[in-house]
Amino acid sequence: MTTRDTETFDELGPQASLGEVLLALGGRLTRLQTELMAGLEQPLTIRQYRILSRVGAGHTSLTALCKLAHRNPSTMSESVDKLVTQGFLSRQPSATSRRTMQLELTAKGVNARDTARRALDKFTAELTAGLTPEVRDRILPALSQLYFDVQGNLDDR
């Protein structure tokens, strides 16, 4: 149960439900991730990092990025345009269709993505350092299942 004097999920009481804890934890992790990425030599937003990672993984069309992110084309196009302007991505006509633009990481984009990935890896290692292997083995399957259930709900929209 949340404390009623703040009317937020940021302060959890001893009787907090699982849902309340998950919402509060998600918010706190997002805030920490946002601050971490903003403090990098090449600051990125979470959305920018995800786009760079997805393009690096081979999802090089705006359509593919929209589908993965569950975003509309205008929103994704705006984000991609900013990354192109900043020099993280380049845009070229596709070899198979001149009407389709293909995105590619620039050297600056690869460096920014890799730096962010290392920072996130360090953060997650520190975050879970105090957990015993037994606790990790119990938590990971449950959280993975919850993640995929939530993802399925997004896919249905």
Side-chain angles (χ1 to χ4, degrees), residues 34-67:
T34 299
E35 291 173 358
L36 175 75
M37 305 266 277
L40 297 174
E41 185 177 326
Q42 285 291 323
L44 295 172
T45 65
I46 294 169
R47 180 181 293 176
Q48 289 173 323
Y49 170 71
R50 287 183 181 144
I51 291 170
L52 294 177
S53 295
R54 288 169 175 161
V55 170
H59 304 283
T60 60
S61 74
L62 193 62
T63 302
L65 292 174
C66 289
K67 184 175 179 182

Short mmCIF file of all heavy atoms in Angstrom, two decimals, residues 34-67:
data_model
loop_
_atom_site.label_atom_id
_atom_site.label_comp_id
_atom_site.label_asym_id
_atom_site.label_seq_id
_atom_site.Cartn_x
_atom_site.Cartn_y
_atom_site.Cartn_z
N THR A 34 17.96 7.02 -16.84
CA THR A 34 17.93 8.32 -17.51
C THR A 34 19.09 9.19 -17.05
O THR A 34 19.79 9.80 -17.88
CB THR A 34 16.58 9.03 -17.23
OG1 THR A 34 15.53 8.22 -17.75
CG2 THR A 34 16.54 10.41 -17.86
N GLU A 35 19.32 9.25 -15.75
CA GLU A 35 20.42 10.05 -15.21
C GLU A 35 21.77 9.51 -15.65
O GLU A 35 22.67 10.29 -15.99
CB GLU A 35 20.33 10.11 -13.69
CG GLU A 35 19.15 10.91 -13.19
CD GLU A 35 18.95 10.83 -11.68
OE1 GLU A 35 19.70 10.10 -10.99
OE2 GLU A 35 18.01 11.49 -11.19
N LEU A 36 21.92 8.21 -15.66
CA LEU A 36 23.17 7.58 -16.09
C LEU A 36 23.48 7.94 -17.54
O LEU A 36 24.59 8.37 -17.87
CB LEU A 36 23.07 6.06 -15.91
CG LEU A 36 24.24 5.25 -16.42
CD1 LEU A 36 25.42 5.37 -15.46
CD2 LEU A 36 23.85 3.80 -16.57
N MET A 37 22.49 7.78 -18.41
CA MET A 37 22.70 8.04 -19.84
C MET A 37 22.93 9.53 -20.11
O MET A 37 23.68 9.88 -21.00
CB MET A 37 21.50 7.54 -20.63
CG MET A 37 21.17 6.08 -20.36
SD MET A 37 21.89 4.98 -21.50
CE MET A 37 20.71 5.10 -22.78
N ALA A 38 22.28 10.40 -19.34
CA ALA A 38 22.45 11.84 -19.53
C ALA A 38 23.85 12.29 -19.11
O ALA A 38 24.34 13.31 -19.59
CB ALA A 38 21.39 12.60 -18.74
N GLY A 39 24.49 11.53 -18.23
CA GLY A 39 25.81 11.89 -17.74
C GLY A 39 26.96 11.37 -18.56
O GLY A 39 28.13 11.61 -18.23
N LEU A 40 26.68 10.67 -19.63
CA LEU A 40 27.75 10.12 -20.48
C LEU A 40 28.43 11.23 -21.28
O LEU A 40 27.87 12.31 -21.47
CB LEU A 40 27.17 9.07 -21.44
CG LEU A 40 26.57 7.83 -20.79
CD1 LEU A 40 25.91 6.96 -21.86
CD2 LEU A 40 27.63 7.05 -20.03
N GLU A 41 29.63 10.95 -21.78
CA GLU A 41 30.35 11.91 -22.62
C GLU A 41 29.50 12.34 -23.81
O GLU A 41 29.46 13.50 -24.18
CB GLU A 41 31.66 11.30 -23.10
CG GLU A 41 32.53 12.26 -23.87
CD GLU A 41 33.86 11.65 -24.26
OE1 GLU A 41 34.40 10.82 -23.50
OE2 GLU A 41 34.35 12.00 -25.35
N GLN A 42 28.82 11.37 -24.43
CA GLN A 42 27.84 11.64 -25.48
C GLN A 42 26.47 11.32 -24.87
O GLN A 42 26.02 10.18 -24.96
CB GLN A 42 28.08 10.74 -26.70
CG GLN A 42 29.25 11.13 -27.55
CD GLN A 42 28.98 12.45 -28.27
OE1 GLN A 42 27.88 12.73 -28.71
NE2 GLN A 42 30.01 13.25 -28.37
N PRO A 43 25.82 12.30 -24.24
CA PRO A 43 24.54 12.02 -23.57
C PRO A 43 23.50 11.47 -24.54
O PRO A 43 23.42 11.89 -25.69
CB PRO A 43 24.11 13.39 -23.04
CG PRO A 43 25.34 14.22 -23.03
CD PRO A 43 26.20 13.70 -24.13
N LEU A 44 22.74 10.50 -24.06
CA LEU A 44 21.65 9.90 -24.83
C LEU A 44 20.41 9.82 -23.96
O LEU A 44 20.51 9.71 -22.74
CB LEU A 44 22.01 8.47 -25.27
CG LEU A 44 23.16 8.27 -26.23
CD1 LEU A 44 23.45 6.78 -26.38
CD2 LEU A 44 22.84 8.89 -27.58
N THR A 45 19.26 9.83 -24.61
CA THR A 45 18.03 9.49 -23.90
C THR A 45 17.86 7.98 -24.01
O THR A 45 18.53 7.32 -24.81
CB THR A 45 16.81 10.18 -24.53
OG1 THR A 45 16.61 9.67 -25.85
CG2 THR A 45 16.98 11.71 -24.55
N ILE A 46 16.95 7.44 -23.21
CA ILE A 46 16.68 6.01 -23.29
C ILE A 46 16.19 5.66 -24.70
O ILE A 46 16.61 4.66 -25.28
CB ILE A 46 15.64 5.59 -22.22
CG1 ILE A 46 16.23 5.77 -20.82
CG2 ILE A 46 15.18 4.16 -22.43
CD1 ILE A 46 15.22 5.63 -19.69
N ARG A 47 15.31 6.48 -25.25
CA ARG A 47 14.78 6.23 -26.60
C ARG A 47 15.91 6.24 -27.63
O ARG A 47 15.96 5.38 -28.50
CB ARG A 47 13.73 7.26 -26.97
CG ARG A 47 13.15 7.03 -28.36
CD ARG A 47 12.13 8.06 -28.74
NE ARG A 47 10.95 7.93 -27.90
CZ ARG A 47 9.92 8.74 -27.94
NH1 ARG A 47 9.90 9.76 -28.77
NH2 ARG A 47 8.89 8.55 -27.15
N GLN A 48 16.82 7.21 -27.54
CA GLN A 48 17.94 7.26 -28.48
C GLN A 48 18.81 6.01 -28.38
O GLN A 48 19.22 5.45 -29.39
CB GLN A 48 18.78 8.52 -28.24
CG GLN A 48 18.10 9.79 -28.65
CD GLN A 48 18.89 11.01 -28.24
OE1 GLN A 48 19.51 11.05 -27.18
NE2 GLN A 48 18.85 12.04 -29.08
N TYR A 49 19.09 5.60 -27.15
CA TYR A 49 19.90 4.39 -26.96
C TYR A 49 19.22 3.18 -27.58
O TYR A 49 19.86 2.38 -28.26
CB TYR A 49 20.17 4.15 -25.47
CG TYR A 49 20.78 2.82 -25.22
CD1 TYR A 49 22.10 2.56 -25.59
CD2 TYR A 49 20.04 1.78 -24.67
CE1 TYR A 49 22.67 1.31 -25.40
CE2 TYR A 49 20.60 0.53 -24.47
CZ TYR A 49 21.91 0.30 -24.84
OH TYR A 49 22.46 -0.95 -24.67
N ARG A 50 17.93 3.05 -27.38
CA ARG A 50 17.20 1.90 -27.94
C ARG A 50 17.23 1.93 -29.46
O ARG A 50 17.40 0.89 -30.10
CB ARG A 50 15.77 1.88 -27.43
CG ARG A 50 15.68 1.46 -25.98
CD ARG A 50 14.26 1.37 -25.51
NE ARG A 50 14.23 0.99 -24.11
CZ ARG A 50 13.34 1.45 -23.24
NH1 ARG A 50 12.41 2.29 -23.63
NH2 ARG A 50 13.38 1.05 -21.99
N ILE A 51 17.07 3.10 -30.05
CA ILE A 51 17.12 3.20 -31.51
C ILE A 51 18.50 2.80 -32.01
O ILE A 51 18.63 2.00 -32.95
CB ILE A 51 16.73 4.61 -31.98
CG1 ILE A 51 15.25 4.86 -31.72
CG2 ILE A 51 17.06 4.79 -33.48
CD1 ILE A 51 14.82 6.31 -31.93
N LEU A 52 19.55 3.33 -31.40
CA LEU A 52 20.90 2.98 -31.82
C LEU A 52 21.15 1.47 -31.69
O LEU A 52 21.74 0.84 -32.57
CB LEU A 52 21.95 3.75 -31.01
CG LEU A 52 21.97 5.27 -31.21
CD1 LEU A 52 23.01 5.91 -30.29
CD2 LEU A 52 22.22 5.64 -32.66
N SER A 53 20.69 0.89 -30.60
CA SER A 53 20.86 -0.55 -30.39
C SER A 53 20.10 -1.36 -31.43
O SER A 53 20.63 -2.34 -31.96
CB SER A 53 20.38 -0.95 -28.99
OG SER A 53 21.19 -0.35 -28.01
N ARG A 54 18.89 -0.95 -31.74
CA ARG A 54 18.08 -1.68 -32.71
C ARG A 54 18.63 -1.55 -34.12
O ARG A 54 18.65 -2.52 -34.87
CB ARG A 54 16.64 -1.22 -32.62
CG ARG A 54 15.98 -1.71 -31.34
CD ARG A 54 14.64 -1.07 -31.07
NE ARG A 54 14.03 -1.70 -29.89
CZ ARG A 54 13.07 -1.17 -29.18
NH1 ARG A 54 12.56 0.02 -29.54
NH2 ARG A 54 12.58 -1.79 -28.14
N VAL A 55 19.09 -0.36 -34.48
CA VAL A 55 19.71 -0.20 -35.81
C VAL A 55 20.97 -1.05 -35.88
O VAL A 55 21.21 -1.74 -36.87
CB VAL A 55 20.01 1.29 -36.12
CG1 VAL A 55 20.86 1.42 -37.38
CG2 VAL A 55 18.70 2.06 -36.27
N GLY A 56 21.76 -1.04 -34.82
CA GLY A 56 22.97 -1.87 -34.78
C GLY A 56 22.67 -3.35 -34.86
O GLY A 56 23.49 -4.13 -35.36
N ALA A 57 21.49 -3.75 -34.42
CA ALA A 57 21.08 -5.17 -34.47
C ALA A 57 20.46 -5.54 -35.81
O ALA A 57 20.04 -6.67 -36.00
CB ALA A 57 20.10 -5.47 -33.34
N GLY A 58 20.40 -4.57 -36.75
CA GLY A 58 19.91 -4.89 -38.09
C GLY A 58 18.52 -4.40 -38.42
O GLY A 58 18.02 -4.64 -39.51
N HIS A 59 17.87 -3.69 -37.51
CA HIS A 59 16.54 -3.14 -37.77
C HIS A 59 16.74 -1.73 -38.35
O HIS A 59 16.79 -0.75 -37.62
CB HIS A 59 15.71 -3.09 -36.49
CG HIS A 59 15.59 -4.42 -35.83
ND1 HIS A 59 14.73 -5.41 -36.30
CD2 HIS A 59 16.25 -4.95 -34.78
CE1 HIS A 59 14.86 -6.48 -35.53
NE2 HIS A 59 15.77 -6.23 -34.61
N THR A 60 16.91 -1.66 -39.67
CA THR A 60 17.40 -0.44 -40.30
C THR A 60 16.33 0.39 -41.01
O THR A 60 16.66 1.40 -41.62
CB THR A 60 18.52 -0.78 -41.29
OG1 THR A 60 18.00 -1.66 -42.29
CG2 THR A 60 19.70 -1.43 -40.59
N SER A 61 15.08 0.00 -40.94
CA SER A 61 14.03 0.80 -41.57
C SER A 61 13.18 1.46 -40.49
O SER A 61 13.06 0.96 -39.37
CB SER A 61 13.14 -0.06 -42.46
OG SER A 61 12.29 -0.87 -41.68
N LEU A 62 12.59 2.58 -40.85
CA LEU A 62 11.71 3.28 -39.94
C LEU A 62 10.53 2.39 -39.54
O LEU A 62 10.12 2.36 -38.38
CB LEU A 62 11.21 4.58 -40.59
CG LEU A 62 10.55 5.58 -39.67
CD1 LEU A 62 11.51 6.06 -38.60
CD2 LEU A 62 10.04 6.76 -40.48
N THR A 63 10.02 1.62 -40.49
CA THR A 63 8.90 0.72 -40.22
C THR A 63 9.26 -0.31 -39.16
O THR A 63 8.49 -0.57 -38.23
CB THR A 63 8.46 0.02 -41.52
OG1 THR A 63 8.10 1.01 -42.48
CG2 THR A 63 7.29 -0.91 -41.29
N ALA A 64 10.44 -0.90 -39.29
CA ALA A 64 10.88 -1.91 -38.31
C ALA A 64 11.04 -1.28 -36.93
O ALA A 64 10.63 -1.87 -35.93
CB ALA A 64 12.20 -2.54 -38.76
N LEU A 65 11.60 -0.08 -36.88
CA LEU A 65 11.78 0.59 -35.59
C LEU A 65 10.43 0.93 -34.95
O LEU A 65 10.26 0.78 -33.74
CB LEU A 65 12.62 1.85 -35.77
CG LEU A 65 14.08 1.64 -36.14
CD1 LEU A 65 14.76 2.98 -36.42
CD2 LEU A 65 14.83 0.86 -35.07
N CYS A 66 9.48 1.38 -35.76
CA CYS A 66 8.14 1.68 -35.25
C CYS A 66 7.49 0.44 -34.64
O CYS A 66 6.90 0.50 -33.56
CB CYS A 66 7.25 2.23 -36.36
SG CYS A 66 7.68 3.88 -36.91
N LYS A 67 7.61 -0.66 -35.33
CA LYS A 67 7.00 -1.90 -34.86
C LYS A 67 7.62 -2.35 -33.54
O LYS A 67 6.92 -2.70 -32.59
CB LYS A 67 7.15 -2.99 -35.91
CG LYS A 67 6.47 -4.28 -35.54
CD LYS A 67 6.53 -5.30 -36.64
CE LYS A 67 5.84 -6.57 -36.19
NZ LYS A 67 5.89 -7.63 -37.16
#
